[in-house]
Amino acid sequence: MRILGPVEVHEGDAVLPLGGMRERALLALLALSPGRVVGTDRLIDDLWGEDLPANPANALQALVSRLRRAIGAATVVTRAPGYLLDLPGDAVDAVRFRSLVAAANGADDPRERSRVLAEALALWNGEALTEFAFENFARREAVALDELRLTALEGRIAADLESGKAAELVPELEELIELHPVSYTHLTLPTITSGC
């Protein structure tokens, strides 16, 4: 399941159709805490805000039913006081990403750190929770994930520099400075000598 970009559920090579934005939002909310119960009050508040349907509990149950049809009834479990996404944590790309970043931080060898961080960064397919960027439930989590992504990228670059790959990094560093000029005004590109 992917939330590092558009919300997607893959079954083999196929992407499952998830329905409308509310179904996708419900799945994103549950995916932010896989294996943990998310209360119905929170789900209703995050899904509808002040624009509540006439019967919010029934509307949520209908939404859960549609999501179960899309991704499998056993995946979305009713458990008081709400629902949970019954998946192993690393089945959600954001959880796997955080796990890989933590593992890389414990690696002494810069080549291994670079490899693990590259694997973590390859999980991304756009901005985190991109389709819900303006929703309150997603904003804080998306910002935290995007910051960790930048930290992972910096760590991978530092590991590559430590491994002696300075010349290979210049184009990537130039692009990084261009994309994030305020964050990297202090960055000095490595000096490459021609060896002549």
Side-chain angles (χ1 to χ4, degrees):
M1 155 148 212
R2 301 180 80 160
I3 62 172
L4 299 178
V7 174
E8 295 178 342
V9 175
H10 292 255
E11 189 172 72
D13 292 336
V15 178
L16 299 179
L18 297 176
M21 285 300 281
R22 281 223 168 82
E23 287 91 343
R24 300 169 74 74
L26 172 60
L27 181 57
L29 278 160
L30 296 172
L32 290 171
S33 305
R36 292 193 308 242
V37 175
V38 181
T40 55
D41 290 344
R42 177 178 166 209
L43 291 171
I44 289 167
D45 186 49
D46 286 343
L47 290 168
W48 286 282
E50 294 182 16
D51 190 23
L52 290 174
N55 188 329
N58 282 354
L60 179 59
Q61 287 175 347
L63 206 57
V64 168
S65 292
R66 289 194 299 272
L67 184 59
R68 284 176 171 155
R69 279 194 299 274
I71 67 171
T75 306
V76 181
V77 176
T78 303
R79 183 147 322 139
Y83 299 92
L84 67 82
L85 192 63
D86 191 16
L87 291 173
D90 65 352
V92 177
D93 60 358
V95 174
R96 177 107 176 103
F97 170 72
R98 283 190 167 113
S99 175
L100 287 167
V101 171
N105 289 337
D108 292 330
D109 178 26
R111 289 170 302 213
E112 178 64 6
R113 247 187 349 264
S114 174
R115 184 194 67 73
V116 174
L117 288 170
E119 182 182 341
L121 291 164
L123 294 171
W124 287 75
N125 188 35
E127 299 298 316
L129 297 158
T130 190
E131 62 209 286
F132 304 109
F134 300 106
E135 299 293 334
N136 289 332
F137 79 84
R139 192 173 301 128
R140 182 178 32 226
E141 189 69 21
V143 167
L145 284 164
D146 286 337
E147 287 175 1
L148 186 57
R149 178 188 193 182
L150 204 50
T151 300
L153 178 59
E154 291 168 355
R156 204 225 67 233
I157 289 170
D160 285 344
L161 285 170
E162 200 177 328
S163 300
K165 297 181 180 178
E168 300 164 31
L169 292 171
V170 170
E172 184 176 11
L173 291 171
E174 289 172 339
E175 182 180 346
L176 191 60
I177 291 168
E178 187 177 317
L179 290 172
H180 305 281
V182 175
S183 299
Y184 295 104
T185 55
H186 67 284
L187 190 61
T188 304
L189 293 177
T191 305
I192 310 300
T193 55
S194 65
C196 303

